[in-house]
Amino acid sequence: MTETSSAITPFRIDIPQADLDDLHDRLARTRLPDALPGVGWSYGVDRDYLIDLIEYWRTGYDWREQEARLNKVPQFTTEIDGQHLHFLHVRSPEPDATPLIVTHGWPSTPADFSDIIGPLTDPRAHGADPARAFHVVAPSVPGFGFSGPTLDSGWDVPRIARAWAELMRRLGYRHYGAQGGDYGSLISGALGRVAPDNVIGVHLNALADAATPSGSGHDLAVLSESDRAKAAANQIWWFGHNGYATQMALRPQTIAYSLNDSPAGQLAWNLEWFVDWDPTATEQTPIARDAILTDVTTLWLTGTAGSAARIYRESGSSWGSKPAPSGVATAVANFQGDRAVRGLAEQAHRIVRWNDYPVGGHFAALQAPAELVTDIREFFGSLDR
């Protein structure tokens, strides 16, 4: 890893008004496609749903309010391996707090963690045991938002994990935990593999490498009958939902032109995962419109929706494959709609805790923050340190 500067610089979000005016102007001039009558979400993002959300984005959503809220959290930048990196760093008032690096997935940003940072860093103020406090580090993944765009190829999951290990070293944290969901689950798991002497435990939700068997080594013979059935059902489900991922894994530059030119187009593309189901028929907790739009607006204003898509291409060689076994104690919180199969997860992770929740959804920090915080506290509280 090439290091050109180890300086850590305070950062504050300050978007020029001209950029916001341009966004509103583009939204007002959105040219929508037709849609077949009565198809709902079965052909992709529902047109009426998108129209309503575009109008709210243009006339109701307040970026300045969100910007002020985000700026209340200490933010910093540094350069690691030639890449500009942005991260949140919130130290707990409890001196013996456990350092914890928390990683988002696609198409998210660290803004997703707004509702869990306070309870994690200051449990005493939230009516919880102060002995279970954390110093929270939440980076923007390279290519996303204020950590973007990426400047060279090769920013796959292991490289990001190595950058996280270096970031924690710079911050003075010798031993720490890792937490993540979606792509963050892959990065957090990989961090345990690249820094096993430093990572005391890994906590995962939306575990992305244990839903379907891969062609590179998952042993189906050792799975229980119920786990084999789950894995088979997941393969069928994924076949009908992976169009967005396949495009970004194979040809991210092609879709980047549309993402960077049309905010309505970027919104629809991001909704493929934020709302990739009929919201009138799901048991998952709906994500607040402002939360979705804060992530989408951050990617739009930084021009990084295309850069963020590249993580699928960079990690394409290992996409869907079983990672090397990890010896780090790992916990999995499976929320409503998550599809991790324990038998598959145990072939790549040392699973010491597994909880299934009938609430929330894929974006647990936004959909089930209280349950996620409790699961994180209980897991790390159970580890010998």
Side-chain angles (χ1 to χ4, degrees):
M1 180 179 295
T2 301
E3 181 179 322
T4 58
S5 172
S6 61
I8 293 175
T9 305
F11 177 81
R12 182 175 178 83
I13 304 170
D14 186 14
I15 299 299
Q17 184 59 41
D19 292 352
L20 298 178
D21 294 341
D22 175 70
L23 169 60
H24 292 153
D25 180 61
R26 288 171 182 261
L27 290 172
R29 294 185 293 107
T30 298
R31 190 175 75 156
L32 289 162
D34 72 304
L36 294 174
V39 299
W41 290 78
S42 63
Y43 278 57
V45 173
D46 179 78
R47 187 176 186 269
D48 290 339
Y49 181 96
L50 184 64
I51 289 173
D52 287 344
L53 194 53
I54 290 171
E55 183 62 16
Y56 175 72
W57 194 7
R58 187 178 72 86
T59 64
Y61 174 78
D62 187 344
W63 167 259
R64 290 301 186 200
E65 177 183 335
Q66 300 301 320
E67 184 180 70
R69 178 179 63 84
L70 295 172
N71 278 332
K72 292 179 181 179
V73 180
Q75 302 171 69
F76 304 87
T77 60
T78 192
E79 184 179 322
I80 297 178
D81 197 11
Q83 178 65 37
H84 172 85
L85 291 177
H86 162 264
F87 62 97
L88 316 182
H89 184 199
V90 185
R91 290 189 59 85
S92 171
E94 307 297 336
D96 295 326
T98 300
L100 180 68
I101 185 166
V102 183
T103 307
H104 65 85
W106 183 91
S108 294
T109 71
D112 285 12
F113 304 132
S114 296
D115 289 340
I116 69 172
I117 288 176
L120 288 174
T121 57
D122 195 0
R124 189 191 302 270
H126 292 80
D129 184 355
R132 296 188 176 179
F134 299 88
H135 302 305
V136 172
V137 179
S140 294
V141 172
F144 289 67
F146 301 107
S147 280
T150 46
L151 303 177
D152 62 349
S153 61
W155 278 100
D156 59 6
V157 166
R159 185 177 179 185
I160 296 171
R162 292 192 295 272
W164 276 199
E166 170 61 18
L167 175 61
M168 295 302 274
R169 186 197 68 79
R170 287 188 191 178
L171 294 175
Y173 296 134
R174 182 178 178 185
H175 298 293
Y176 48 87
Q179 200 286 325
D182 188 79
Y183 250 103
S185 74
L186 304 181
I187 295 165
S188 298
L191 182 55
R193 295 179 180 90
V194 304
D197 294 333
N198 306 102
V199 178
I200 62 171
V202 175
H203 184 281
L204 307 173
N205 65 283
L207 179 54
D209 61 13
T212 60
S214 72
S216 63
H218 277 127
D219 186 357
L220 297 182
V222 303
L223 296 183
S224 67
E225 183 176 346
S226 63
D227 276 357
R228 281 197 300 272
K230 289 178 185 177
N234 286 345
Q235 283 186 304
I236 295 171
W237 182 89
W238 183 237
F239 179 78
H241 291 75
N242 69 3
Y244 79 100
T246 300
Q247 174 66 39
M248 293 191 293
L250 297 177
R251 309 289 286 176
Q253 190 63 32
T254 301
I255 192 63
Y257 298 111
S258 298
L259 298 178
N260 204 60
D261 190 59
S262 168
Q266 186 207 313
L267 174 60
W269 189 256
N270 292 163
L271 288 175
E272 276 291 315
W273 209 230
F274 277 129
V275 191
D276 193 11
W277 58 83
D278 182 345
T280 67
T282 182
E283 296 180 4
Q284 296 188 37
T285 303
I287 303 174
R289 292 187 299 178
D290 279 7
I292 293 174
L293 290 175
T294 295
D295 283 336
V296 172
T297 307
T298 298
L299 296 181
W300 172 263
L301 293 172
T302 56
T304 58
S307 176
R310 289 200 286 262
I311 193 171
Y312 284 80
R313 170 76 180 190
E314 304 297 356
S315 300
S317 61
S318 60
W319 180 254
S321 64
K322 180 175 75 69
S326 171
V328 177
T330 300
V332 175
N334 231 21
F335 289 90
Q336 178 71 39
D338 284 339
R339 297 176 177 272
V341 177
R342 182 163 186 166
L344 294 177
E346 288 176 337
Q347 296 182 37
H349 305 272
R350 184 163 71 87
I351 304 296
V352 300
R353 175 186 171 95
W354 186 286
N355 281 326
D356 292 303
Y357 290 91
V359 298
H362 186 80
F363 298 87
L366 296 174
Q367 296 170 286
E371 290 83 358
L372 179 62
V373 166
T374 297
D375 210 274
I376 293 170
R377 286 174 178 160
E378 290 180 352
F379 168 59
F380 285 102
S382 71
L383 300 178
D384 293 328
R385 285 177 280 162

